[in-house]
């Protein structure tokens, strides 16, 4: 019976997961957590006044946020929990507001098509995003507001928000890095600050390259950081680089496409050139241990972003790099499920 009650507790979290998530979203939209960070210990009436809610609306919202561990009630006064303070306010070390917004606006409806996507073996959830094209990225390029929400969610706030990437000593002797699918330029700019010797070229879709160029100008890096607009599947990789990076990219694609891109990288690199893969991955055993992000990301790519791909384990990248012709593969995976795999030509 004890086992039954424990399982019932766990099952409630799953069965009502949508309620917990939307409570988090509403708390962010209303700026409830910022309010309790600025004025800890206010009562329900004050919360209602500040958020311009009726007292009944504030009452049920606070019941929900207390239930889901976001706020605490002590003697009729309300406080953020340490979790809310750590992730949900302007002072947070790791604010998740942009990512939560992306999950809500772009992914939430698409996840209702998981079973249909699994059966059809493709991204049936993409029908929830307006526009043409068979990938989320092609459709985002047609919706400036959604593309901005996506890029804001992916953008690192600072070097600490991309665990063990900016510390990688392997960038120390790279002269010119081609960042395939590099995004709007923030990562390249942070990497440049860590490695002053480096030149970086971002190869991304034209709309994203425009944003990257603006970022480089703002940061004063236009001399060393530039862009190469195009489609990395159909357009050739520029030559003259000594390292090629796929960051948070290969997990979007099927094995065939990954090996195609790795072979393309191999052909574009000189002898001794480096191939760097950074992203998220599950453990080699695919046991589900420490794999919340890997499980979510695998579903997300499959049912929405591309209709293929997953948060592959390092073992797969090792094998594909060898298949593409590379040797001496090194790899790391940390407790945040980030992976860093590097091979040399
Ligand atoms: C998940 S984001 C990764 C961004 C960045 N590398 C990072 O580490 O956060 C994938 C990027 O690949 C770009 N992309 C997707 N398909 C592409 C294609 N066929 N050609 C060029 N860029 C593409 C998208 O525009 C997006 O900026």
């Amino acid at each position: 019976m004890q086992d039954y009650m424990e399982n019932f507790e766990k099952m409630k979290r799953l069965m009502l997961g949508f309620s917990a998530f939307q409570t988090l979203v509403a708390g962010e939209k209303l700026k409830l957590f910022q309010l309790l960070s600025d004025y800890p210990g206010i009562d329900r009436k004050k919360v209602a006044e500040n958020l311009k809610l009726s007292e009944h609306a504030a009452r049920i919202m606070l019941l929900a946020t207390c239930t889901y561990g976001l706020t605490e009630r002590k003697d009729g006064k309300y406080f953020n929990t340490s979790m809310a303070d750590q992730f949900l306010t302007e002072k947070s070390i790791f604010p998740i507001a942009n990512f939560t917004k992306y999950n809500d606006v772009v992914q939430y409806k698409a996840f209702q098509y998981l079973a249909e996507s699994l059966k059809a073996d493709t991204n049936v959830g993409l029908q929830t995003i307006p526009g043409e094209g068979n990938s989320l990225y092609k459709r985002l390029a047609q919706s400036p507001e959604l593309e901005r929400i996506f890029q804001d969610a992916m953008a690192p706030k600072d070097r600490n928000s991309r665990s063990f990437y900016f510390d990688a000593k392997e960038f120390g002797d790279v002269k010119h890095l081609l960042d395939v699918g590099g995004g709007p330029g923030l990562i390249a700019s942070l990497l440049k600050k860590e490695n002053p010797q480096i030149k970086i070229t971002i190869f991304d879709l034209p709309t994203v390259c425009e944003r990257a160029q603006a970022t480089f100008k703002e940061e004063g890096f236009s001399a060393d950081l530039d862009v190469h607009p195009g489609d990395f599947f159909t357009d050739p990789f520029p030559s003259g680089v000594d390292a090629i990076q796929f960051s948070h990219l290969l997990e979007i694609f099927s094995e065939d496409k990954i090996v195609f891109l790795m072979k393309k990288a191999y052909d574009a690199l000189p002898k001794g050139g480096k191939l760097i893969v950074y992203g998220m991955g599950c453990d080699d055993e695919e046991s589900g241990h420490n794999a919340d992000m890997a499980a979510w990301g695998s579903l997300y790519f499959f049912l929405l972003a591309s209709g293929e791909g997953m948060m592959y384990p390092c073992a797969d990248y090792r094998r594909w790099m060898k298949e593409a012709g590379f040797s001496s593969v090194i790899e790391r995976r940390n407790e945040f499920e980030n992976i860093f795999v590097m091979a040399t030509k």
Side-chain angles (χ1 to χ4, degrees):
M1 198 58 186
Q2 194 194 349
D3 183 38
Y4 175 83
M5 285 316 290
E6 273 171 25
N7 283 335
F8 183 53
E9 282 305 311
K10 286 189 213 154
M11 189 49 78
K12 276 193 294 186
R13 298 285 145 180
L14 274 181
M15 186 172 72
L16 303 174
F18 66 95
S19 167
F21 175 68
Q22 288 300 341
T23 299
L24 171 64
V25 171
E28 293 264 37
K29 278 189 192 163
L30 296 168
K31 301 201 185 317
L32 168 65
F33 311 113
Q34 191 55 46
L35 176 71
L36 292 180
S37 167
D38 294 340
Y39 303 101
I42 55 176
D43 63 15
R44 193 157 75 200
K45 198 161 182 293
K46 278 266 174 300
V47 171
E49 267 169 33
N50 273 282
L51 301 186
K52 299 191 174 42
L53 301 178
S54 71
E55 268 199 69
H56 181 67
R59 183 181 183 185
I60 54 175
M61 180 61 182
L62 287 165
L63 172 64
T65 53
C66 286
T67 303
Y68 298 131
L70 296 164
T71 59
E72 284 168 318
R73 180 179 150 119
K74 289 180 204 148
D75 301 325
K77 314 270 188 220
Y78 290 90
F79 300 85
N80 278 338
T81 57
S82 62
M83 178 175 78
D85 273 336
Q86 277 162 9
F87 296 101
L88 304 176
T89 76
E90 284 161 11
K91 281 186 246 148
S92 298
I93 309 159
F94 185 58
I96 59 160
N98 289 339
F99 187 58
T100 308
K101 184 167 182 179
Y102 179 63
N103 297 347
D104 182 40
V105 177
V106 177
Q107 300 184 55
Y108 197 73
K109 286 197 197 86
F111 265 73
Q112 292 178 342
Y113 292 89
L114 173 57
E116 288 79 359
S117 299
L118 293 168
K119 276 197 209 157
D121 200 19
T122 190
N123 49 345
V124 179
L126 189 62
Q127 66 185 275
T128 60
I129 308 295
E132 301 292 319
N134 60 357
S135 82
L136 175 65
Y137 309 101
K138 287 182 187 153
R139 294 200 182 192
L140 291 178
Q142 298 159 51
S143 296
E145 176 60 9
L146 292 184
E147 188 173 67
R148 194 186 53 74
I149 291 172
F150 167 74
Q151 295 293 0
D152 287 349
M154 298 300 147
K157 186 169 85 65
D158 55 34
R159 71 184 302 289
N160 299 326
S161 52
R162 181 158 278 228
S163 75
F164 89 161
Y165 174 77
F166 294 110
D167 294 323
K169 57 186 181 323
E170 286 82 359
F171 290 114
D173 56 2
V174 172
K175 292 190 192 73
H176 192 164
L177 175 74
L178 177 67
D179 191 0
V180 181
L186 285 165
I187 294 147
S189 300
L190 287 167
L191 196 60
K192 173 77 183 163
K193 283 177 193 157
E194 299 287 329
N195 299 278
Q197 88 293 345
I198 208 166
K199 281 180 188 271
I200 304 174
T201 300
I202 284 188
F203 189 170
D204 209 302
L205 299 172
T207 48
V208 181
C209 281
E210 271 173 39
R211 287 193 65 184
Q213 251 171 336
T215 308
F216 298 156
K217 208 169 160 199
E218 260 167 49
E219 297 282 341
F221 287 142
S222 296
D224 284 338
L225 308 189
D226 65 1
V227 295
H228 186 88
D231 182 322
F232 52 60
F233 281 116
T234 50
D235 298 322
F237 286 175
S239 57
V241 299
D242 60 339
I244 295 182
Q245 164 176 279
F246 299 115
S247 164
H248 282 299
L249 186 75
L250 297 182
E251 48 263 58
I252 302 172
F253 302 119
S254 66
E255 170 163 354
D256 289 355
K257 287 183 185 155
I258 293 173
V259 174
F260 170 81
L261 288 172
M262 284 186 173
K263 284 190 172 149
K264 202 164 164 173
Y266 185 86
D267 291 341
L269 283 168
K271 196 167 184 315
K274 290 173 178 170
L275 174 67
I276 295 167
V277 173
Y278 175 78
M280 302 195 95
C282 62
D283 58 309
D284 280 358
E285 283 73 40
E286 300 182 28
S287 63
H289 174 68
N290 186 22
D292 288 79
M293 298 299 284
W296 153 73
S298 298
L299 297 173
Y300 158 74
F301 292 127
F302 183 74
L303 69 84
L304 175 62
S306 58
E308 52 194 43
M310 70 178 283
M311 300 292 198
Y312 298 102
C314 288
D316 283 354
Y317 290 114
R318 227 165 31 228
R319 188 162 44 81
W320 296 327
M321 284 167 161
K322 294 255 164 77
E323 206 180 315
F326 290 95
S327 56
S328 61
V329 180
I330 59 133
E331 64 179 61
R332 305 195 271 278
R333 182 175 188 266
N334 69 4
E335 68 278 21
F336 299 107
E337 305 172 49
N338 290 115
I339 57 164
F340 184 99
V341 192
M342 196 195 81
T344 309
K345 175 165 172 177

